[in-house]
Amino acid sequence: MPTTISHLKIKGFRSLKDVEIELGAFNVLIGANGAGKSNLIEFFQMTSAMFSGTSGNLQLYVARKGRASSLLHYGPQVTKTIDATFRIDDEQVWNEYECRLKWSESNDLYFGNESVAEGLSGKGQSERYFSGSGHSESWVVSPGMFSELSSARLFRHLAEQIRVYHFHDTSEDANMRVSQELNGEHGLLSNGGNLAAFLYRLKEKRPAHYRRILDTVQYIAPFIEDLVVEPDALNDRFVMLRWRDRSGTLFGPHQLSDGTLRTIALITTLLQPDETMPSIMLYDEPELGLHPQGIRIVAELLKAVSEKRQVIVATQSPLLIRDYDPADIAVVERDEDAEGRGSTVIKRLDPVALEGWLEEYDLGQLYEKNVTGGGPQ
C-alpha cells in the first residue's frame, strides 16, 4: 500500500476544537448531522490546497470558504490559530509534519510556525526541522532548503495524492452533465467534472477497467445497456456522457437521475486503474441518492479499495456500514461546553464491547439503535 497517514491531530478548525484520531487503511466516520464529520473531510481539502504547489492556493481556499473567521472554531473572538499534526509510521521510520496557522486582522491565515521531523521507529532518536514564520503559503512547497528535506518531500507527495470525491452537484449545469474537454487532467476530478473524458480514455486505453465499471453500473442500473462516450461529431475536442437503453435509443446526461449519475461517478472512482488512483481517497456521504442495492455494492467496493489505498468515509447510512468491522468505525459526536459552544469528539468503536450485541444484530442495526453512539443528541 502507498504511504498513508497513521495519526492526525487538529485544533481550532471549525468544530474540530481539539481532536486526535488514529487512522488505518479503512476509516468510516459515523454520526448525526452537525457532529463534524464533514469538517474532518474539509480539513483534508484545506491540506490539499496547502500543499498543492500552486502559489496562493491556500489563500484562495481561505477566501472561497468565507475567509479565516469561518474556518476558526467559533471565529477569531474565540480561536485565533489552527494547529495540525500529521504522522506517518512504517516499520523502520516515522515522519511528522506540524503547522500553526494564525489569524490576521485582514481575516487571512498565515503560518506562525511549520516543522517536519523524522526518526527511527521504536527508538528515541529523532530530528526536527523548523521553517520560519509569517509566510502565507507552506514552505513544504516553496523553493528552498526546507522543501528539499526528505520529510517535506514525503508530505508534499502525500498531500498531492489526497482526493476528496464529492458528487453532490448533479444540477442541470453541473460539470458531469455537460460537454467536457478531452485534453484535460488524466485523473478523475473530485467533482466528476471530467467523468465523460475519463471514461473515454479508459475505454480507449484500458478497456478491461472500462468494462468492469460498465458491468457494475449495469448491475445497479440495469436499464443502461451501454455508456456512450465518444468525441462530439462537430468538435472532437469535447465529449459528453451519453447512454443507451435496451431499445437502442440514445439519451443524454440530462436524462439520468441524480442518483444514477452519482452511482456512475462513484463506481468509476472505485474501479479506476491503480495508476490514476490517489493514495488517500475521501468520500462524504457517498450513499446520497443511491438505491439500497447501490449502497451495498458501494460499501463492498470501498472496503475492497482500502486493501491498496487509504480510504476515509463520512456517512449516516446504517446500510453502508452493516457488514463492516467495528474496528473500521469512528463515532463522531457533538459536545457542548458550559456556554453552549459545540465541538467535535471522535472515538473509535471498541470491538470487544460490542461482541455480545453482534451475535444478534449487525453493525448498521446497532447504529440505528444508538448502541454505537453517533445518533442525534
Side-chain angles (χ1 to χ4, degrees):
M1 176 181 286
T3 303
T4 56
I5 297 168
S6 56
H7 185 90
L8 177 61
K9 187 173 184 178
I10 307 166
K11 290 185 177 182
F13 181 80
R14 292 187 171 173
S15 68
L16 309 178
K17 178 183 179 182
D18 189 353
V19 301
E20 199 164 354
I21 183 172
E22 301 290 336
L23 295 170
F26 191 49
N27 311 270
V28 182
L29 311 171
I30 62 171
N33 286 328
K37 304 185 304 298
S38 295
N39 286 337
L40 184 62
I41 300 292
E42 186 62 45
F43 183 80
F44 278 92
Q45 288 273 41
M46 186 176 78
T47 302
S48 183
M50 232 165 54
F51 291 156
S52 71
T54 303
S55 178
N57 216 33
L58 174 60
Q59 299 310 317
L60 179 60
Y61 168 87
V62 172
R64 285 177 172 172
K65 296 299 176 179
R67 308 305 294 267
S69 56
S70 70
L71 299 174
L72 293 161
H73 179 66
Y74 280 89
Q77 295 81 12
V78 174
T79 306
K80 286 186 168 56
T81 64
I82 296 172
D83 295 270
T85 302
F86 294 87
R87 188 179 175 96
I88 297 170
D89 286 289
D90 63 31
E91 294 180 357
Q92 295 181 328
V93 299
W94 58 266
N95 289 268
E96 196 170 82
Y97 169 83
E98 290 186 347
C99 71
R100 167 167 287 184
L101 295 169
K102 301 180 73 172
W103 176 78
S104 70
E105 291 185 356
S106 60
N107 207 11
D108 294 318
L109 293 174
Y110 67 94
F111 284 87
N113 60 57
E114 194 176 18
S115 69
V116 291
E118 56 187 25
L120 298 176
S121 297
K123 298 182 180 180
Q125 299 169 305
S126 67
E127 291 186 85
R128 183 169 293 275
Y129 306 90
F130 293 87
S131 75
S133 62
H135 43 292
S136 60
E137 299 293 329
S138 171
W139 280 24
V140 166
V141 294
S142 300
M145 184 182 300
F146 188 80
S147 65
E148 293 307 312
L149 295 169
S150 60
S151 290
R153 292 200 305 269
L154 176 65
F155 281 100
R156 180 171 65 243
H157 174 72
L158 188 66
E160 289 170 351
Q161 288 291 306
I162 293 172
R163 190 64 56 88
V164 180
Y165 291 111
H166 197 292
F167 306 124
H168 296 183
D169 182 9
T170 52
S171 58
E172 290 185 0
D173 58 352
N175 291 333
M176 287 190 288
R177 292 196 191 271
V178 299
S179 291
Q180 301 157 15
E181 193 168 0
L182 277 172
N183 295 325
E185 189 170 330
H186 286 272
L188 184 64
L189 297 175
S190 295
N191 65 355
N194 64 339
L195 178 61
F198 185 76
L199 286 170
Y200 170 75
R201 282 192 288 269
L202 288 184
K203 188 174 183 179
E204 293 294 307
K205 305 292 186 181
R206 303 297 298 268
H209 282 81
Y210 174 82
R211 186 70 240 181
R212 285 180 62 204
I213 291 168
L214 178 58
D215 288 347
T216 307
V217 167
Q218 289 173 329
Y219 190 73
I220 299 172
F223 59 88
I224 294 178
E225 180 67 19
D226 194 15
L227 296 174
V228 181
V229 282
E230 299 170 352
D232 190 284
L234 298 178
N235 188 342
D236 62 7
R237 291 176 50 244
F238 289 86
V239 63
M240 180 181 285
L241 179 63
R242 296 181 173 91
W243 59 282
R244 286 193 177 92
D245 70 2
R246 293 176 183 175
S247 74
T249 303
L250 182 65
F251 297 94
H254 293 85
Q255 291 159 296
L256 286 171
S257 70
D258 292 350
T260 302
L261 188 57
R262 289 191 191 107
T263 297
I264 295 171
L266 274 169
I267 297 303
T268 301
T269 70
L270 295 166
L271 293 177
Q272 64 184 299
D274 287 354
E275 58 263 32
T276 63
M277 189 176 284
S279 298
I280 303 177
M281 305 170 71
L282 297 100
Y283 297 86
D284 192 4
E285 298 189 349
E287 72 275 6
L288 287 181
L290 269 62
H291 184 275
Q293 181 66 13
I295 294 175
R296 293 190 186 100
I297 292 173
V298 167
E300 293 172 4
L301 291 175
L302 286 166
K303 182 70 172 179
V305 166
S306 71
E307 295 179 4
K308 51 187 176 180
R309 296 292 190 270
Q310 188 168 39
V311 177
I312 301 173
V313 183
T315 183
Q316 296 186 76
S317 172
L319 187 56
L320 187 79
I321 69 169
R322 185 183 65 174
D323 297 319
Y324 290 159
D325 190 295
D328 299 330
I329 308 297
V331 179
V332 182
E333 295 183 310
R334 174 185 169 92
D335 191 22
E336 289 189 358
D337 62 18
E339 297 178 355
R341 287 193 287 259
S343 60
T344 295
V345 177
I346 303 178
K347 300 177 294 184
R348 283 282 184 182
L349 282 185
D350 181 356
V352 176
L354 294 175
E355 281 182 354
W357 285 99
L358 289 170
E359 292 176 2
E360 190 171 351
Y361 303 99
D362 63 47
L363 199 55
Q365 291 171 323
L366 295 184
Y367 179 39
E368 288 181 308
K369 294 174 181 295
N370 205 26
V371 172
T372 60
Q377 295 174 300

